[in-house]
Amino acid sequence: MHPHRHPLHLLFAQLGLAADHASIDAFIRTHAPLPPAVRLEDAPFWRPAQSELLREERDEDADWAEAVDLLDAELRRAP
């Protein structure tokens, strides 16, 4: 049985952010690159509830963990 995987645009929707391709690209361009010493969920641009969601999903290796890891990787790339 394969775990359920969520695409990145659904993670954005879950975070209460615009989830269309252009908005996701703009978000990543605006906030990348995230410094190596900053954990994704501790980045200053998240609201507290967003940060908590990201932390919980990663810590629990939950259904959303793969999408969270993908977002983290995208935000680590230099523009």
Side-chain angles (χ1 to χ4, degrees):
M1 181 179 203
H2 297 279
H4 185 71
R5 292 185 176 98
H6 298 285
L8 191 56
H9 73 276
L10 290 182
L11 175 61
F12 270 71
Q14 186 74 11
L15 290 166
L17 300 170
D20 60 276
H21 185 71
S23 295
I24 292 170
D25 285 348
F27 181 90
I28 291 169
R29 277 193 318 273
T30 299
H31 298 294
L34 189 61
V38 176
R39 289 178 49 108
L40 174 66
E41 57 272 19
D42 295 333
F45 47 81
W46 299 120
R47 294 188 312 263
Q50 292 169 322
S51 179
E52 185 61 26
L53 174 73
L54 293 167
R55 182 177 287 101
E56 286 175 2
E57 296 305 317
R58 181 176 280 173
D59 288 350
E60 295 173 10
D61 198 24
D63 286 349
W64 292 97
E66 189 173 308
V68 171
D69 288 344
L70 176 59
L71 176 58
D72 191 2
E74 291 294 322
L75 286 168
R76 303 272 174 203
R77 292 184 192 184

